[in-house]
Amino acid sequence: GAGVSQSPSNKVTEKGKDVELRCDPISGHTALYWYRQSLGQGLEFLIYFQGNSAPDKSGLPSDRFSAERTGGSVSTLTIQRTQQEDSAVYLCASSTLGQGYGYTFGSGTRLTVV
Amino acid sequence: GDSVTQMEGPVTLSEEAFLTINCTYTATGYPSLFWYVQYPGEGLQLLLKATKADDKGSNKGFEATYRKETTSFHLEKGSVQVSDSAVYFCALSGPTGGYQKVTFGTGTKLQVIP
């Protein structure tokens, strides 16, 4: 597609429920990234994909967080047993591999755990 | 590991004032450097970039020069407008992560008043 698409744009969930966040990157972009932006905080790296594999998942906060990417395209970030501290904006970005290529970000999913 | 330090905000300026937002970095080798901007209610956008020492990135009247000797990439604009009000993020991608992972600063909020 023309840009990075994320869905849903907003999600309110009850504590303890599971949520799935979706990212559809720009067609042809082989690298895909997930970041988290909490209120008043910077961007926290979560995980990145190169194709369907995840060379770096060091930023996932706990084993409640997981992500997958299929067909070198769409990615899903899953948060199990959500907690209030999971409330944040989850950002997805994609890029072409190589030094100096910036990211193209999606508009994010605002997750609120109540 | 790689890191980015940028001046804390908020920065409040009058229209047509000169803007400088300081950014310094720590990285091995020769990272690529970026400035991203997040306008109110919008996603992050790449503003400008520089991939080697002494390069100057520029866009929309903003400039930043890659200074290897001072490990800096300060953002400047000669005359700000109200429409420049946004949060600005300095970022880098370095050889440590194969240039595939971007590390962001915490962001500097700029408010321009008429």
Side-chain angles (χ1 to χ4, degrees):
Chain A
V4 177
S5 177
Q6 291 188 247
S7 61
S9 55
N10 278 286
K11 176 73 176 178
V12 180
T13 190
E14 292 181 352
K15 178 181 173 181
K17 296 284 181 67
D18 298 351
V19 295
E20 284 189 354
L21 312 180
R22 176 187 168 103
C23 173
D24 197 346
I26 290 175
S27 179
H29 277 192
T30 53
L32 184 148
Y33 308 81
W34 285 98
Y35 283 79
R36 179 167 72 174
Q37 186 176 26
S38 303
L39 188 64
Q41 303 293 315
L43 278 77
E44 177 188 5
F45 169 80
L46 298 178
I47 186 171
Y48 104 86
F49 289 90
Q50 189 169 306
N52 291 335
S53 64
D56 189 347
K57 53 181 76 172
S58 61
L60 294 177
S62 73
D63 59 8
R64 296 187 296 105
F65 288 73
S66 63
E68 65 174 12
R69 188 180 185 194
T70 56
S73 181
V74 172
S75 175
T76 303
L77 176 69
T78 301
I79 308 173
Q80 296 179 310
R81 305 180 303 280
T82 51
Q83 304 295 313
Q84 288 187 329
E85 61 263 28
D86 299 335
S87 296
V89 176
Y90 289 82
L91 295 168
C92 176
S94 69
S95 77
T96 304
L97 292 179
Q99 180 185 1
Y101 285 96
Y103 292 167
T104 300
F105 277 91
S107 298
T109 294
R110 182 175 297 278
L111 175 66
T112 304
V113 181
V114 297
Chain B
D2 297 346
S3 66
V4 175
T5 302
Q6 60 183 107
M7 62 189 290
E8 290 193 22
V11 174
T12 302
L13 295 174
S14 297
E15 208 165 20
E16 299 183 1
F18 184 87
L19 168 71
T20 300
I21 300 179
N22 290 337
C23 171
T24 57
Y25 67 88
T26 300
T28 56
Y30 291 86
S32 295
L33 303 174
F34 309 90
W35 277 99
Y36 283 82
V37 59
Q38 187 174 32
Y39 297 104
E42 299 185 16
L44 276 86
Q45 305 172 25
L46 179 64
L47 178 61
L48 54 83
K49 66 180 182 181
T51 58
K52 61 183 187 294
D54 300 325
D55 267 3
K56 178 184 285 187
S58 61
N59 186 23
K60 299 182 179 180
F62 290 88
E63 293 183 338
T65 301
Y66 187 140
R67 301 289 188 197
K68 182 70 175 175
E69 63 277 13
T70 55
T71 62
S72 65
F73 193 55
H74 305 321
L75 183 68
E76 296 181 336
K77 186 174 185 182
S79 176
V80 294
Q81 305 300 312
V82 172
S83 56
D84 294 326
S85 298
V87 181
Y88 293 83
F89 293 88
C90 186
L92 70 82
S93 65
T96 302
Y99 295 98
Q100 300 314 312
K101 174 178 153 183
V102 176
T103 299
F104 289 85
T106 53
T108 302
K109 184 175 182 178
L110 170 66
Q111 184 176 16
V112 181
I113 55 178

